[in-house]
Amino acid sequence: DAKTTQPPSMDCAEGRAANLPCNHSTISGNEYVYWYRQIHSQGPQYIIHGLKNNETNEMASLIITEDRKSSTLILPHATLRDTAVYYCIVANSGNTPLVFGKGTRLSVIA
Amino acid sequence: NAGVTQTPKFRVLKTGQSMTLLCAQDMNHEYMYWYRQDPGMGLRLIHYSVGEGTTAKGEVPDGYNVSRLKKQNFLLGLESAAPSQTSVYFCASSQPGQGSDNEQFFGPGTRLTVL
């Protein structure tokens, strides 16, 4: 599986957009980009995933660069409840267990 | 639906004791996983199962055994606990090819301390 690189921590003001970057320069053509988050002491929660097109759901948007070597998770209006560790993971769809790195600790500040 | 449940939530063991962690899911998922998470670290895969009666090793399998006798249950066993196995253990399940493909659903975790 391709490895990812994320900043260890970020701050965001409440109500503003949180933009979390991820580098995955060795991603292969059949690998998806997945984002999960882990709120303190809880199990990780799926947020969104994509292959090469930008994706949006009720939680977030995922922007993948054209060369697929990096992506950005966007939380459009961050709230205090979005404070969590966010993991960017690349994996084949369906059959490959996920490999979690250390993620980015996002702190949303009032 | 309860989703993924884990039993027990907390446990303290002495070195050398054995125990079994139980994971149950009611979503009829084929795949199940056991991860451990040490302080300040991401999750690491211990073992996983792609169907009833099957198991496979993950990144850190040593000191653990697993069994998947029923589709809805995935058991993680520690035969002789060591302090290095103090961690939070998460179970997850997924149904590849359905909906969000590799989306994994996680349980609330079991906090294990080995003295």
Side-chain angles (χ1 to χ4, degrees):
Chain A
D1 288 339
K3 293 185 178 179
T4 63
T5 303
Q6 299 178 253
S9 64
M10 293 181 62
D11 292 337
C12 177
E14 187 178 20
R16 304 295 294 268
N19 297 282
L20 291 89
C22 179
N23 287 324
H24 32 78
S25 59
T26 60
I27 191 170
S28 61
N30 61 346
E31 288 183 315
Y32 287 71
V33 180
Y34 292 85
W35 283 84
Y36 281 74
R37 74 179 182 183
Q38 186 176 24
I39 296 172
H40 181 62
S41 300
Q42 299 180 17
Q45 175 192 22
Y46 166 85
I47 302 173
I48 198 167
H49 77 284
L51 184 61
K52 49 186 170 182
N53 297 323
N54 297 338
E55 302 287 344
T56 296
N57 63 20
E58 65 279 3
M59 291 182 67
S61 294
L62 175 60
I63 308 298
I64 303 174
T65 58
E66 189 170 347
D67 63 7
R68 302 209 324 125
K69 292 185 177 181
S70 65
S71 60
T72 301
L73 178 74
I74 301 172
L75 307 178
H77 304 287
T79 70
L80 298 178
R81 287 177 292 183
D82 292 321
T83 293
V85 178
Y86 288 77
Y87 298 98
C88 169
I89 302 164
V90 294
N92 294 320
S93 172
N95 297 319
T96 305
L98 302 176
V99 177
F100 287 79
K102 294 185 178 181
T104 295
R105 182 173 299 278
L106 175 69
S107 298
V108 180
I109 303 167
Chain B
N1 289 346
V4 179
T5 58
Q6 294 183 230
T7 308
K9 290 184 170 54
F10 302 93
R11 186 70 186 269
V12 178
L13 291 178
K14 294 181 179 179
T15 298
Q17 287 186 316
S18 63
M19 77 163 295
T20 300
L21 282 67
L22 171 63
C23 176
Q25 53 94 4
D26 61 2
M27 296 172 284
N28 202 34
H29 285 171
E30 287 294 330
Y31 287 20
M32 296 187 74
Y33 315 80
W34 275 109
Y35 295 87
R36 62 176 287 175
Q37 184 174 35
D38 300 325
M41 303 292 289
L43 282 72
R44 292 184 293 170
L45 183 68
I46 305 172
H47 287 278
Y48 64 103
S49 168
V50 299
E52 182 178 320
T54 73
T55 63
K57 294 180 179 180
E59 179 186 359
V60 288
D62 293 343
Y64 305 95
N65 56 76
V66 289
S67 63
R68 183 97 181 271
L69 299 179
K70 293 183 179 181
K71 186 177 183 179
Q72 64 268 33
N73 296 336
F74 195 27
L75 279 63
L76 178 71
L78 287 74
E79 291 186 346
S80 180
S84 61
Q85 294 178 304
T86 294
S87 190
V88 181
Y89 292 84
F90 289 102
C91 176
S93 71
S94 68
Q95 184 65 17
Q98 174 185 356
S100 295
D101 290 336
N102 206 28
E103 176 183 356
Q104 293 187 16
F105 295 82
F106 284 81
T110 294
R111 282 154 183 76
L112 174 66
T113 301
V114 183
L115 301 175

